[in-house]
Amino acid sequence: MAAMTDAADATGAGATLHYIFDPLCGWCYAAAPLVDAAREVPGLKVEFHGGGMMTGANRRPITPQWRDYVLPHDHRIAEMTGQPFGERYFEGLLRDTGAVMDSEPPTTAVLAAESLRPGGGLDMIHSLQRAHYVDGRRIADVEVLKAIAGELGFETEAFASAFERQSGEATSRHIAESRQFLQRAGGQGFPTFVLVQPDGSASRVDIGPWLGRAEEWKKQLAAVAEASKPAPAAADAPAPACGPDGCAI
C-alpha cells in the first residue's frame, strides 16, 4: 500500500494502528478484544475512524427480517471469538420494533468522549458495543448515550455540551473523512485495520486469523511496535585534541 502520511501523523514516535469501525457492526464487536489488546502494546498508538455504516438512507428500524438476518452472524461471532451476547439483546432489542439502528448518534458520543479525555473515544466504543450486544440498549437514543457516558465517569453537563458540539456537521465530517480513509486503504467494510509506520508507509491488516486469539495478536503487534521505534541517536564523537600543531583526528 502506498504511503498515507495524512492519516498517519508520522512524527517518528512509533507505529499507529487505525481502526475503521461502526458502533452497530457485529464484526467490529468480534474484533473488540483485538482493539483492547492493541491498546496495551507499549509504543503503539490506536486511532478510531467511525465510518457511519447506518446513517442517512441506511438507517433502519428493527424488524423480524432484520433479526433473522443478523442472528446467524451473531452466533458465528460468539463461536469464533467467545464474545458474549445477552438475552436482553436477542430477546429484547432484536424484538423491539420501535428501535432504530442509526450509527450517527453513537458516533457523536464517541467523538464527544474523545474530546473530553484522551482514549475516551475507544472507551466509549467498547461500552457502546457491550450496551448494544449484551444489555440490549438503544444506543441511538441520546438519553441512553448520556447514561453510558455517566457510567464511564464523564460529568453529565460536560458530556452533554461536548455531544452538542460534535453533533451534526462535526460528525458528518468525521464520517466522510473515515470513508475516504477506508477507500484509500482499499478496505471493503467494517472493521478495517491499517497499520501505519512512522515514515507513513501503510499496510492493511487481515484480522481474520487473529479473531479469538487476542494474546497472540498482542505479541505480534508488540514485535511490530518495537521494530518501528526510531534507532537511538549515535553518541557524540569525542572532540579532536587540538594543539599548536593542529588537531589530532
Side-chain angles (χ1 to χ4, degrees):
M1 179 182 291
M4 301 173 68
T5 53
D6 54 333
D9 283 333
T11 62
T16 300
L17 183 67
H18 293 269
Y19 170 42
I20 309 172
F21 81 103
D22 188 87
L24 293 170
C25 163
W27 288 102
C28 295
Y29 181 52
L34 304 184
V35 177
D36 290 342
R39 297 181 71 187
E40 297 174 357
V41 175
L44 179 68
K45 185 178 181 181
V46 180
E47 292 190 358
F48 65 83
H49 307 266
M53 181 177 71
M54 291 187 174
T55 56
N58 291 323
R59 290 178 294 184
R60 64 177 66 237
I62 296 289
T63 62
Q65 292 77 18
W66 177 254
R67 185 177 189 274
D68 291 342
Y69 171 74
V70 299
L71 276 177
H73 295 281
D74 294 337
H75 289 308
R76 186 179 176 207
I77 289 167
E79 291 171 3
M80 288 181 65
T81 67
Q83 283 287 77
F85 289 79
E87 282 301 300
R88 285 175 288 182
Y89 168 71
F90 284 136
E91 300 302 329
L93 183 63
L94 289 185
R95 295 189 185 278
D96 181 1
T97 55
V100 176
M101 304 280 280
D102 184 353
S103 301
E104 185 171 339
T107 300
T108 299
V110 171
L111 296 174
E114 184 67 21
S115 73
L116 293 173
R117 184 171 73 205
L122 290 167
D123 293 339
M124 178 62 76
I125 294 168
H126 180 90
S127 291
L128 290 172
Q129 290 169 329
R130 295 279 301 187
H132 180 75
Y133 290 105
V134 178
D135 300 329
R137 298 164 78 178
R138 292 183 176 189
I139 64 169
D141 289 6
V142 175
E143 292 307 312
V144 172
L145 295 171
K146 290 179 180 178
I148 293 170
E151 293 158 16
L152 278 170
F154 290 101
E155 195 275 325
T156 302
E157 291 186 6
F159 180 80
S161 296
F163 188 91
E164 181 66 25
R165 289 194 301 272
Q166 297 295 335
S167 293
E169 182 180 349
T171 296
S172 296
R173 184 169 58 251
H174 173 83
I175 290 172
E177 291 171 353
S178 297
R179 289 177 177 175
Q180 290 169 7
F181 186 23
L182 178 66
Q183 184 177 24
R184 292 199 306 275
Q188 300 300 312
F190 310 108
T192 291
F193 288 82
V194 179
L195 185 66
V196 179
Q197 301 291 353
D199 64 1
S201 60
S203 58
R204 196 170 63 253
V205 181
D206 178 12
I207 64 163
W210 301 105
L211 291 173
R213 301 169 56 204
E215 284 304 312
E216 295 169 80
W217 156 265
K218 182 178 176 180
K219 291 177 182 177
Q220 179 72 13
L221 287 178
V224 171
E226 182 65 27
S228 72
K229 288 181 179 178
D236 292 337
C242 298
D245 297 325
C247 297
I249 304 298

